[in-house]
Amino acid sequence: MGAVPSTPRWGGSSSAARPLDTAEYLISTFIGDESFPISSDFWHKLLELPLNLQWPPHRVHEACQALARNNYHTRHLAKILIHMAWCLQESISTSSGAPSLVYVKAVNAVYISSVFLKYFIENAKGDKIEDLYLSLDESEPIPTDITKDLNIEDFVMRSVLSFIGSIDVSPDTYLLHLELLNFMLIAMSTQLLSGPSPGPEDVNPFIDAAMSQESSLVILVVRKLLLSYITGPSISLNSASYSIYSEGSQPGVLQRVSSAAANLMLLPFNFLVSSSGEGSRSLLADCSLHVLLILSHYRKCVVGNEPITDKSNDTTASDSLLKGSTHFSDNPYCKALERATDVEFDRVDTEGNAHAGPVLRIPFASLFDALGMYLADEAAALLLYSLLQGNADFLEYVLVRTDLDTLLMPILEALYNAPKRSSNQIYMLLIILLILSQDSSFNASIHKLIVPSVPWYKERLLHQTSLGSLMVITLIRTVQYNLSKLRDVYLHTTCLATLANMAPHVHRLSAYASQRLVSLFDMLSRKYNKLAEMRDNQMRLVKGNSIEGNGLADDTSTEMHIYTDFLRLVLEILNAILTYALPRNPEVIYAIMHRQEVFQPFRNHPRFNELLENIYTVLDFFNSRMDAHNTDGEWSVEKVLQVIIINCRSWRGEGMKMFTQLRFTYEQESHPEEFFIPYLWQLVLSRCGLSFNPDAINLFPVDPPSEKQSDYEVSSNGHVNGESTKHAVFVEP
């Protein structure tokens, strides 16, 4: 793979007879030490050639090493990126977007660029990627249609984004769209080289170039990525369009491999050799979603004493920040997603909140249905969270839907299967429920929706259960799972906060949900009593001058305070139901009467006594009615319930103390990027089949393969791959 002639031979009997030699020759020339001008015919020959060589992984790795050695002199990586951009521009300018030759050249250029760019990124020294040499040599003859000071990253990303945003996915363009999404993931993977907290020294040339594009292009791209996710175009991967990329069951030249040594596996060829096209819908949809999420959650850290240029609204502004301070520049993709509106609803702005410039318009109904269908996927849950948390119009749209079960049922099923889920996914789903529960109309409507059956709930047959009752049951079950497995305070808090928001609006809570609610208090009280016993034992050690005992006692006291808050919160939930919704919930009264002994030990507790006064006021009222009611024989459940229902009508709430109604809201932390960026890249690497040199990853800790049990190994303290999952703040106004 050394020096080669300046003008590769093309045609002739030798080339015609041995086309494989021609392909081998051109690839060897590309990675060799001879520099070919950007206007050389060599590039057209390379990109027009059907890439059907079968190279084993070690040869691919050797080719990448050779280009890395020679690229400083040849600048061939920069040149093929420029040719890739030209091919994409030519594809856009044609009527169909994919004439045969231009299409072949574009796919080849994107694919070859992806293979070598990925190697350069993951083998960069430290987090510096200057070795890419994304510029042309000063002595290079420059064609008239490009300038000397051309910013190659910007030129390439503008061309890639323009193709994605303007060309529809079709059988002719499907593979090119897929390769471009793969290219974007690779180009943006420079984030993996930096730490979890973005800093001004981070180098992310391609994603920074994507951030600098005009707002009109950004909106086109976000719209197309969302539509690709929503529709998930189903294209047969065995189409004749792709015959040049596979021969029988073999992938093409520079084939994708999962070898840890080569680390050159890209995305589609794993699927191109499949015998059916079943995976193609999710492949394009998933890649589109991952690209969109990475773009929208990116944060560029800049130094405050420099003026900020934001091309997203074609204006230049300077922030009056302290010299040397850092901040995050605006993310136009995040803004586009947050300002998206429904294509079916053109609301006139009456509050002066209109946004200047173009606005993203997407079909909320189709997006709602797609999210409901694929919420078992973690990336889908992240998209739903992003929309509910950042886009007021979409949140309002969801809250007025009458078929909330479309979203809630897959969320509740995923929480039911919590042991099979990552703790990050559990958090995201619980936060989604918390955000929804902040709306009183949501809390009221979920009790009017009746679910005929819940086949995935195995412990008990749930028949004709309200969605609200099922939500209560599932949240309590999640608390129980967390108590026994994860033992994470924030997960407890999220579940109980959601239940507290729901409590005043509970309507005809089912018998099973009511029982589980009282059992929740019993379960937490037993944990509290156990901690109290441990503390007493440890205090005896402290009196014996044991330093170890003193430390243990402090830890136990802290945990006791936490469980004291949990028990009080459960009592607040019961109080809210009894204060605001007692006549509508006879099953809750029955459950409290049936297990009234669990409250007795806490009746004189200073933190609980005032809340328990209300519960005992209700108990006294209904116990006295039971005593006054003459009955023949034993009390049955039906008879007790009948007495409760009759006396609910005469209940006036006399003697009840009114407490301020609890209302918890979700508030994103000040630096959410420290959670979302590592989490997103963990999803990309585990879901997309994209391998990356683990030694080069600094964004999150990487477990050794032999010790890793799953993509997201959950430890007992609720950490994922060494990263704390705490990222939510709950505010009680």
Side-chain angles (χ1 to χ4, degrees), residues 403-425:
D403 57 342
L404 284 167
D405 53 313
T406 300
L407 286 184
L408 291 184
M409 288 299 285
I411 291 176
L412 298 179
E413 183 177 0
L415 291 175
Y416 176 83
N417 292 310
K420 301 176 183 177
R421 307 291 179 182
S422 74
S423 57
N424 280 349
Q425 184 179 12

Side-chain angles (χ1 to χ4, degrees), residues 500 502-506 572-585 651 656-662:
M502 295 169 62
H505 311 279
V506 166
E572 295 260 24
I573 291 166
L574 290 170
N575 259 272
I577 296 174
L578 298 178
T579 303
Y580 299 102
L582 183 146
R584 305 191 301 271
N585 291 284
W651 169 258
M656 296 285 282
K657 291 184 178 179
M658 298 297 291
F659 295 97
T660 303
Q661 194 175 120
L662 287 183

Side-chain angles (χ1 to χ4, degrees), residues 101-147:
L101 184 57
V102 173
Y103 175 72
V104 169
K105 289 173 63 178
V107 175
N108 287 350
V110 176
Y111 179 41
I112 295 174
S113 299
S114 297
V115 171
F116 290 100
L117 179 61
K118 180 175 178 294
Y119 177 86
F120 275 61
I121 291 173
E122 65 183 349
N123 288 281
K125 295 180 178 66
D127 61 351
K128 304 299 182 183
I129 56 171
E130 286 83 357
D131 290 348
L132 292 176
Y133 299 114
L134 296 177
S135 61
L136 298 177
D137 193 273
E138 292 184 359
S139 61
E140 176 88 21
I142 302 296
T144 55
D145 52 348
I146 64 173
T147 58

Side-chain angles (χ1 to χ4, degrees), residues 207-220:
I207 195 167
D208 285 342
M211 293 297 128
S212 69
Q213 302 306 313
E214 291 78 8
S215 61
S216 56
L217 177 56
V218 168
I219 286 173
L220 281 175

